[in-house]
Amino acid sequence: MDLNRRKGLILLLPAPMKFTIAYTLLFVYIILAILFWGYSLRKQNSIVYGLEMEKLHLLYPDSTTAVYKTELAKVEDHKKRRTKQFWGEETTFLFVILLSAGVVYFAYFKQLQLSRLQKNFMLSVTHELKTPLAGIKLNMQTLERHNLDGLTQQKLIKSSVEETNRLNDLCNNILIATQLEDNKRAVYSEEVDLVKLADDLVEEMRNRYPNLQIRTHFDVSSAVIEGDKTLWKLVLSNLAENARKYSPA
């Protein structure tokens, strides 16, 4: 395989795979460099030990004297200390490199996962925004092109207002999600009747989807809690939309 073809194959690889390959090569290079550095230091330690022993033999030819034995013990002790120092530094560097590599790898894939979630979120939001816009456009075109009676006009206008409210809610949801992500939204505490809130949402869905069969059942007539009404409406709205999308007709 020629060089240009290999370059072309590399360019065709997905970005995560490119990162993984480059990251793995760099990681292996650093590990091998540390191991080689440790091996070189230990080899130098042996050379230094040999030179110290030669010096010791030159200074004290008689190996039976007490001075020779004392100096020999010092040489052996220096060798052991250097060996421990080199092994300790090599182990420390390897641990730091492995820990740093794990942190970087984890952070990258967390960011990659977040990027995918944001992309999916934008695709979903775009689809959700197009639906009410298409409804409003259709109603306006119907009013423009046809001479309709007053009752039909009122129905189309009411439908357009409801779609506009839905569009406004979607925009608010996006704004709230952004504020919550940045921890900039203040959560308000007020009395919220979850039953009434759910009834209102169901009524909106009935008006929006007249062919949809919606059944509700509440064990109580009201359920008042302390919370942020806007956020609770967002929660119930998401549950209702999921029920509409993933339940039988």
Side-chain angles (χ1 to χ4, degrees):
M1 185 182 294
D2 57 37
L3 183 60
N4 291 332
R5 188 176 178 184
R6 279 183 290 181
K7 288 182 178 179
L9 289 177
I10 292 175
L11 291 175
L12 290 175
L13 291 175
M17 189 174 293
K18 291 180 184 178
F19 172 82
T20 302
I21 294 174
Y23 179 86
T24 303
L25 293 175
L26 180 61
F27 176 74
V28 171
Y29 171 78
I30 293 174
I31 294 297
L32 292 177
I34 292 176
L35 293 176
F36 178 76
W37 170 78
Y39 168 77
S40 300
L41 287 178
R42 289 191 294 274
K43 187 175 181 181
Q44 291 297 321
N45 186 29
S46 298
I47 295 173
V48 171
Y49 174 73
L51 294 174
E52 289 179 340
M53 289 299 296
E54 290 181 6
K55 178 182 177 182
L56 183 62
H57 287 305
L58 291 175
L59 293 176
Y60 308 99
D62 187 1
S63 61
T64 60
T65 62
V67 177
Y68 176 86
K69 292 180 180 180
T70 301
E71 294 298 323
L72 178 61
K74 291 181 179 179
V75 172
E76 296 287 348
D77 182 63
H78 289 163
K79 180 185 178 183
K80 290 180 181 179
R81 288 185 179 182
R82 288 194 298 267
T83 302
K84 290 181 180 179
Q85 178 185 354
F86 296 153
W87 276 111
E89 290 178 351
E90 184 177 3
T91 303
T92 301
F93 282 137
L94 283 174
F95 175 77
V96 171
I97 290 298
L98 290 174
L99 181 62
S100 302
V103 170
V104 171
Y105 201 74
F106 177 77
Y108 172 76
F109 276 95
K110 287 291 288 184
Q111 184 63 34
L112 184 63
Q113 185 180 22
L114 178 61
S115 177
R116 288 174 179 171
L117 289 174
Q118 289 176 339
K119 181 179 179 179
N120 292 336
F121 173 75
M122 291 305 299
L123 292 175
S124 176
V125 166
T126 302
H127 174 73
E128 292 295 333
L129 290 176
K130 281 185 175 181
T131 303
L133 286 174
I136 295 171
K137 182 179 180 180
L138 179 61
N139 291 338
M140 295 298 102
Q141 289 176 341
T142 303
L143 288 171
E144 179 184 19
R145 296 175 183 176
H146 302 279
N147 186 17
L148 304 174
D149 58 86
L151 182 60
T152 304
Q153 291 181 9
Q154 289 298 321
K155 287 182 178 180
L156 291 175
I157 293 173
K158 181 182 178 182
S159 176
S160 298
V161 171
E162 290 174 352
E163 292 297 333
T164 304
N165 291 334
R166 182 188 176 195
L167 187 61
N168 183 63
D169 289 340
L170 288 172
C171 294
N172 287 336
N173 292 346
I174 297 172
L175 180 61
I176 291 172
T178 304
Q179 291 174 341
L180 289 175
E181 184 177 353
D182 297 334
N183 294 322
K184 293 181 179 180
R185 175 178 169 80
V187 179
Y188 300 100
S189 181
E190 56 184 320
E191 288 190 352
V192 181
D193 189 343
L194 294 182
V195 174
K196 184 178 184 306
L197 195 60
D199 274 333
D200 293 341
L201 288 172
V202 169
E203 188 62 27
E204 289 181 10
M205 292 188 68
R206 285 198 176 102
N207 294 330
R208 195 182 308 150
Y209 309 104
N211 296 327
L212 191 67
Q213 298 179 9
I214 303 177
R215 295 190 301 270
T216 60
H217 172 73
F218 300 103
D219 293 330
V220 292
S221 59
S222 66
V224 180
I225 63 170
E226 291 287 333
D228 192 313
K229 185 176 181 179
T230 303
L231 294 180
W232 273 110
K233 183 178 180 181
L234 175 61
V235 171
L236 296 180
S237 177
N238 288 336
L239 290 174
E241 284 295 328
N242 286 337
R244 179 187 68 82
K245 292 178 182 177
Y246 304 112
S247 296

